[in-house]
Amino acid sequence: MSSIRQFGTGFRTLPGCRAPRALSHAYFTPRLQTGWRSQIRVTQRAWESTIAVDDDKDGHIELAPNESILWFDNLFPLKLSGLRLPWQSPENDVRGLMKRFENSSLGIMDPASMVKRAVPDDATMKVTEILPRLKDGGAFVKFAHPPNVVPKDIEKTVSKLLTEKPIKPFFSPFRTVQAGLVKGVPWLEDLQRYPKSRLRIEFVPKNPGEEAVELSQETLYSMFRRYGSIAEITSQPWDSKVFPKYAYVDFGFVRDAIMARNCLHGFVVTEELGGGKLGTKFRISYERRTKPHRIWDWITNHPRIVIPVVVAILTGITVVVFDPIRSFFVRAHVSQKYRLSNNSVYRWLRKQTSDIFDFRRGGDDQAGLNAVWSHRKDVIEQIQAWLMETAETFIVVQGPRGSGKKELVLEQALKDRQNVLVIDCKQIIEARGESAIIKKMASEVGYRPIFSWANSMSSMVDLAIQSTTGVKAGFSETLESQLQKILQTAAGALQSLDLDSRSKNDSDASLPPDAYLEAHPEKRAVVVIDNFVYRSEDNTLIYEKIADWAAALVQSDVAHVVFLTNDSSYTKVLSKSLPDRVFRHVALGDLSPEVAKWFILGHVSGGATLNEKTGSISTPSPSPEESKSLVAAPDLAELDDCIGTLGGRLTDLEYLARRIKAGQSPAQAVAEITEQSASEILKMFLLPGKSTGSTDGEHKWSAEQAWYLVKLLSREDTLRYNEVLLSDTFSSSLTAPDGESALEGLANAELITVVKSAAGGRPSAIVAGKPVYQAAFRQLAADAPLAAKMELARLKELVKIEGRNIEKAESELALLGSLPSQPYGTRERVQYLVGKIEGAQRKVAGYEHEMGALKKVLSTQF
């Protein structure tokens, strides 16, 4: 009589849904009665990995006599339990499910249908309960069998059926449903532990207090290999003190590991199988496999190869990503394409409001400058002519500070010129630290974005890598390389700007870029380098780099380069970059008295004109409205005397004109200017500490040397260079013994000007740094207490110098006198030393006499 097989597939609601009251009963199937025809009780379960466990249950499946469990794999997709479905599972309706099962209405992809198809149609087994495990992708099927049937035979029968008639679910077309007999005691847990391909097998005793045996890899292989291909078996290290003992079994596929765990968890290995006399039980859990970081290990173990490669990759990324951006910003900075002043709307608004707002330089100021430009018209035309030539050399405009070099070049010679780049070396030299220098250089050429702070960080990283690995990473860059990179980017941007106006329709369009720019010098950009060799003793590397870059620009016909400098020693730097070229040189001096008068009257009277034939100055007659706001014209005779005192320095003349325009007389204005210049000289050169003996070591001269020149120039307009150099104050100074360096430092500080001869360019004379300084020198020398104090300090130093000379001579005489016998010829040496001592003593006596008179002045005058 055939038995009726029913699936006791009770289901619980999915996570997030309310469970039916039937779940309060135990989810385990109660023990079956002895009779085979007893009705199977159906309990409700959910097709999910979590199983509701009552308080009186321990999370294991209870088995009655003649009952066993099969594990069916590949019934569900893995990790399906993590999904939150918005609908309620239809499997909650157990009665409906049973009706569909009895009527054979289940779909072929239904899990219950797949289990039904895998069970043979004979009386050897009767399914009593199905416990789905979505987390493991399968289900436990509990079945009853006759006493004379071995569960292992049923497993073979089911496996044979699945081999002959494979069942492939829709979500896994390459893997069939497989079944295995559960030999251990499966643990139905609802923890957040998901399957992995690695199993951790812990060897625990069968009963608490007993001793377990660690199984060998051969034994583990023989027991686990039947569930799938094994990649590796790892035993516990021999020196490990972790208990219980364990081993790792790595399967090739996750589902093979699931099958092995569900079938062998809780399995007791008997003595025959190698489990010891008391037996050893398996406690199996999933273990996340630590993936071997072979690539990372290779990288960390080969820093000598990896670090240069990384640096090259980062450099390549920087070139590909940032260089086009930086080149764009340099182009925009040079061409001024995106400046507000070039905007059409702004220019229209400026034109419409020109009668309300004054956007330009004052009319009177412009009138005065027009007088200067008219006087220097030949210089402006000469510079413009040089810019139209193809000569590969520099244009140097040299003149004292305040002579109008920058205004002449930028506002006149390059007035209608496009693509002009101005680099102010003063801003770069005065920057503190390498990061600030890089930032200033980038700002001058429009190079951005610039990460100046990254240089310090890169240096720290490079130092850390070098100290740990012994290899210099190369992340940090020197100041020289950073400047080279900025200037190269600027050169490329300038060349692209030169070629922007090139058209395909030109007759020479087929020429290469170098030949085209050589044939069209008017297309080249102009680079103006202002304040060149400013404080030439500081950061010579910057001047050398700028000079080399400028030489490359003119030699490759990329741009014309104009140097503006106050120092006549610029040839030392530029000759290293272009040793075989003759520079185009323009020297700007002070204005002549007639042009200076023209300049001042242009400021004051609003547009004076000069008759070049007669030399007379005429001013336009103002309207009645303008006459109210104009200042009365100064007395020309008084103005001539003031200009003679003030000189022709452009900045001083402009300052004088503004004071006259403010209402002062020329004599009063010049007196204030002279007094202000004297105060500046006193603070900068004559106060204590303004020498090489100061803590900052900024100067190469002493206050005594500066006063010596002030005193001499107050008497004479010109001094002989070599005569000053041979004086005791410069040749034997204790604080600044190098006389030439002292004179060079004073010339750079603009206290004096060193005039060079026309023949060989050697220093020949010394004059005041500014014409107004001549009057300031006389004013300082006329201050008796100040002159006495400074002269007293100079004489004290001279006394010290002569005292040292006397000590040296006396030491040598004592040495000669200590000889046992006087050698032949020492008599003349002794006479020379005695004469030297006598001359030095005579000088000391004279100095002491002068010092006495100076001390009397200091004690009697305020």
Side-chain angles (χ1 to χ4, degrees):
M1 185 177 181
S2 61
S3 61
I4 299 175
R5 293 183 291 111
Q6 297 182 6
F7 287 84
T9 53
F11 305 107
R12 185 166 58 86
T13 55
L14 291 176
C17 300
R18 185 175 180 181
R21 294 182 59 85
L23 266 179
S24 60
H25 302 287
Y27 79 83
F28 297 115
T29 305
R31 293 183 181 272
L32 292 174
Q33 302 296 327
T34 308
W36 266 91
R37 294 179 177 83
S38 60
Q39 186 69 19
I40 305 300
R41 182 181 177 182
V42 179
T43 60
Q44 294 187 358
R45 296 288 183 270
W47 292 104
E48 60 180 14
S49 61
T50 59
I51 303 298
V53 181
D54 290 345
D55 295 338
D56 58 345
K57 299 300 180 180
D58 57 358
H60 298 92
I61 303 175
E62 296 182 359
L63 295 178
N66 298 328
E67 281 187 344
S68 297
I69 305 173
L70 284 175
W71 168 256
F72 283 85
D73 187 27
N74 206 21
L75 297 180
F76 310 102
L78 292 178
K79 297 185 180 179
L80 189 61
S81 61
L83 298 177
R84 296 283 182 176
L85 300 178
W87 60 83
Q88 186 176 2
S89 176
E91 287 79 5
N92 290 319
D93 188 6
V94 179
R95 297 181 182 274
L97 176 62
M98 295 306 299
K99 288 181 180 180
R100 287 186 284 116
F101 174 74
E102 293 173 355
N103 296 330
S104 300
S105 60
L106 293 174
I108 59 174
M109 293 294 103
D110 191 282
S113 175
M114 288 189 286
V115 173
K116 182 178 179 180
R117 291 161 57 192
V119 175
D121 296 330
D122 54 22
T124 57
M125 63 177 295
K126 175 191 268 187
V127 176
T128 59
E129 189 176 7
I130 297 178
L131 301 177
R133 299 284 292 173
L134 290 192
K135 185 169 68 174
D136 293 338
F140 288 104
V141 177
K142 185 166 66 172
F143 64 92
H145 57 86
N148 58 347
V149 177
V150 181
K152 192 172 182 180
D153 296 337
I154 297 177
E155 179 191 14
K156 292 180 180 179
T157 303
V158 173
S159 299
K160 183 178 179 181
L161 179 61
L162 291 175
T163 303
E164 295 175 352
K165 298 179 180 180
I167 301 173
K168 297 181 179 180
F170 71 94
F171 55 82
S172 182
F174 302 105
R175 184 181 177 92
T176 61
V177 175
Q178 298 179 5
L181 181 63
V182 178
K183 299 180 180 181
V185 180
W187 180 26
L188 306 180
E189 40 82 17
D190 57 354
L191 305 175
Q192 297 297 323
R193 298 177 181 177
Y194 295 99
K196 301 291 186 297
S197 61
R198 164 171 283 197
L199 295 180
R200 177 187 174 99
I201 296 93
E202 295 181 354
F203 310 110
V204 298
K206 180 180 178 182
N207 298 314
E210 296 179 355
E211 184 179 357
V213 177
E214 182 180 3
L215 274 65
S216 64
Q217 294 186 3
E218 292 84 351
T219 304
L220 293 175
Y221 181 84
S222 63
M223 299 179 68
F224 284 87
R225 178 60 182 85
R226 63 186 306 272
Y227 299 106
S229 176
I230 296 177
E232 181 62 44
I233 298 177
T234 306
S235 300
Q236 184 178 5
W238 64 272
D239 56 347
S240 176
K241 297 182 180 180
V242 177
F243 287 96
K245 296 293 185 178
Y246 63 89
Y248 290 118
V249 177
D250 297 327
F251 284 90
F253 298 95
V254 177
R255 288 195 177 272
D256 295 340
I258 294 172
M259 175 78 76
R261 178 183 181 274
N262 289 328
C263 292
L264 293 181
H265 180 79
F267 175 68
V268 178
V269 183
T270 61
E271 184 179 2
E272 292 77 8
L273 297 176
K277 295 182 179 180
L278 302 177
T280 300
K281 185 166 65 174
F282 287 156
R283 187 163 65 195
I284 305 176
S285 60
Y286 299 115
E287 186 81 10
R288 183 182 296 274
R289 180 185 299 180
T290 303
K291 296 182 179 180
H293 302 85
R294 296 178 180 175
I295 298 177
W296 178 253
D297 292 341
W298 188 90
I299 290 174
T300 55
N301 293 330
H302 298 79
R304 298 178 182 271
I305 300 175
V306 174
I307 292 177
V309 172
V310 172
V311 172
I313 293 174
L314 292 178
T315 304
I317 293 175
T318 303
V319 171
V320 173
V321 176
F322 288 105
D323 277 14
I325 299 175
R326 290 164 175 165
S327 179
F328 167 79
F329 279 110
V330 173
R331 287 168 52 91
H333 177 78
V334 176
S335 63
Q336 302 181 2
K337 183 178 181 181
Y338 301 101
R339 287 195 177 182
L340 181 62
S341 59
N342 294 329
N343 185 272
S344 59
V345 177
Y346 173 79
R347 285 184 292 179
W348 176 85
L349 182 63
R350 179 177 175 178
K351 182 178 180 181
Q352 298 299 322
T353 58
S354 59
D355 56 340
I356 303 175
F357 303 104
D358 189 7
F359 292 98
R360 289 186 171 185
R361 188 195 301 265
D364 297 344
D365 296 345
Q366 190 63 39
L369 288 176
N370 289 336
V372 178
W373 305 145
S374 299
H375 174 66
R376 294 176 173 175
K377 186 177 180 180
D378 54 341
V379 176
I380 296 172
E381 292 177 351
Q382 181 64 63
I383 295 175
Q384 291 176 342
W386 285 340
L387 293 176
M388 299 300 295
E389 297 178 358
T390 59
E392 298 176 356
T393 186
F394 299 140
I395 300 174
V396 182
V397 180
Q398 189 264 334
R401 187 175 303 172
S403 57
K405 302 182 297 297
K406 188 173 183 180
E407 291 79 3
L408 182 139
V409 173
L410 295 180
E411 297 181 7
Q412 299 300 315
L414 303 177
K415 184 176 181 180
D416 299 325
R417 192 90 180 196
Q418 296 181 347
N419 301 333
V420 178
L421 174 61
V422 181
I423 299 176
D424 190 358
C425 296
K426 182 179 179 181
Q427 303 294 330
I428 303 172
I429 295 298
E430 291 181 348
R432 299 290 183 181
E434 292 187 359
S435 298
I437 292 175
I438 295 170
K439 187 175 180 180
K440 287 295 184 181
M441 175 62 81
S443 176
E444 290 297 320
V445 301
Y447 181 91
R448 61 178 64 89
I450 179 69
F451 308 108
S452 57
W453 50 267
N455 192 32
S456 301
M457 295 186 61
S458 300
S459 300
M460 296 174 62
V461 173
D462 201 357
L463 181 61
I465 294 176
Q466 185 176 4
S467 60
T468 54
T469 63
V471 180
K472 189 172 183 179
F475 287 109
S476 61
E477 293 183 300
T478 61
L479 176 62
E480 182 179 359
S481 62
Q482 290 271 17
L483 295 177
Q484 187 72 21
K485 184 189 300 184
I486 293 173
L487 295 176
Q488 284 181 354
T489 303
L494 290 174
Q495 186 176 23
S496 63
L497 284 173
D498 297 342
L499 300 175
D500 281 347
S501 60
R502 187 179 184 182
S503 176
K504 296 181 179 179
N505 299 326
D506 295 341
S507 58
D508 52 0
S510 60
L511 292 176
D514 295 343
Y516 177 80
L517 293 177
E518 184 179 2
H520 297 275
E522 72 280 358
K523 300 290 185 180
R524 305 177 198 171
V526 180
V527 179
V528 179
I529 301 176
D530 192 16
N531 289 315
F532 189 67
V533 293
Y534 169 78
R535 285 164 51 179
S536 57
E537 67 275 3
D538 297 338
N539 289 326
T540 57
L541 173 65
I542 296 177
Y543 293 122
E544 292 175 358
K545 282 297 174 185
I546 292 177
D548 293 342
W549 175 67
L553 291 180
V554 298
Q555 288 178 339
S556 58
D557 298 321
V558 173
H560 301 283
V561 181
V562 180
F563 288 94
L564 308 180
T565 179
N566 308 327
D567 197 341
S568 58
S569 62
Y570 65 90
T571 54
K572 297 179 182 179
V573 181
L574 297 183
S575 298
K576 296 179 181 178
S577 302
L578 287 179
D580 55 346
R581 296 288 190 276
V582 177
F583 305 140
R584 305 291 177 84
H585 178 263
V586 173
L588 295 182
D590 296 331
L591 300 178
S592 63
E594 196 66 31
V595 178
K597 184 188 302 183
W598 185 14
F599 175 79
I600 294 175
L601 291 178
H603 270 269
V604 175
S605 302
T609 58
L610 174 67
N611 191 337
E612 297 182 358
K613 295 182 178 180
T614 62
S616 60
I617 299 175
S618 61
T619 59
S621 57
S623 62
E625 293 79 7
E626 295 175 347
S627 60
K628 297 180 181 179
S629 59
L630 289 178
V631 180
D635 186 5
L636 294 182
E638 183 181 2
L639 185 60
D640 290 340
D641 295 338
C642 293
I643 290 177
T645 302
L646 194 63
R649 189 65 52 88
L650 191 60
T651 53
D652 295 336
L653 292 174
E654 188 174 2
Y655 188 43
L656 174 62
R658 289 177 181 176
R659 286 184 172 272
I660 295 175
K661 193 174 182 181
Q664 290 184 343
S665 65
Q668 291 176 347
V670 171
E672 289 188 5
I673 295 174
T674 304
E675 185 177 354
Q676 184 177 356
S677 299
S679 178
E680 290 178 358
I681 295 171
L682 180 63
K683 292 179 180 180
M684 293 178 59
F685 300 97
L686 303 182
L687 288 181
K690 298 299 181 180
S691 64
T692 55
S694 58
T695 56
D696 56 359
E698 182 180 358
H699 308 294
K700 297 181 180 180
W701 40 265
S702 64
E704 292 78 12
Q705 292 172 336
W707 166 251
Y708 181 71
L709 293 174
V710 168
K711 185 182 70 171
L712 294 181
L713 289 173
S714 65
R715 302 171 184 171
E716 301 179 7
D717 295 340
T718 305
L719 303 177
R720 285 182 287 273
Y721 181 85
N722 293 325
E723 183 181 1
V724 173
L725 199 60
L726 292 174
S727 63
D728 293 338
T729 305
F730 279 88
S731 62
S732 304
S733 176
L734 300 178
T735 54
D738 190 352
E740 293 192 40
S741 298
L743 290 175
E744 183 180 358
L746 290 171
N748 292 335
E750 295 188 347
L751 178 68
I752 59 173
T753 298
V754 178
V755 180
K756 296 186 177 181
S757 63
R762 61 173 179 81
S764 60
I766 297 175
V767 297
K770 294 181 180 180
V772 71
Y773 278 1
Q774 196 76 38
F777 291 161
R778 288 192 290 267
Q779 183 174 345
L780 290 172
D783 188 351
L786 175 64
K789 178 182 177 181
M790 297 304 302
E791 188 67 15
L792 182 63
R794 188 181 74 87
L795 292 176
K796 285 182 179 179
E797 185 180 25
L798 293 178
V799 168
K800 292 180 180 179
I801 294 173
E802 297 302 331
R804 289 191 178 185
N805 293 335
I806 293 174
E807 289 179 0
K808 291 180 181 179
E810 288 177 347
S811 299
E812 188 173 353
L813 286 175
L815 179 62
L816 294 175
S818 63
L819 298 176
S821 59
Q822 297 295 328
Y824 178 78
T826 58
R827 179 178 300 178
E828 294 182 359
R829 182 64 180 174
V830 170
Q831 292 178 354
Y832 167 77
L833 294 174
V834 171
K836 190 173 182 181
I837 293 174
E838 182 181 1
Q841 182 60 35
R842 191 180 301 111
K843 288 183 180 180
V844 170
Y847 295 153
E848 292 290 346
H849 179 71
E850 294 181 17
M851 290 169 61
L854 294 175
K855 290 179 181 179
K856 185 176 181 181
V857 172
L858 290 175
S859 61
T860 57
Q861 298 186 16
F862 292 98

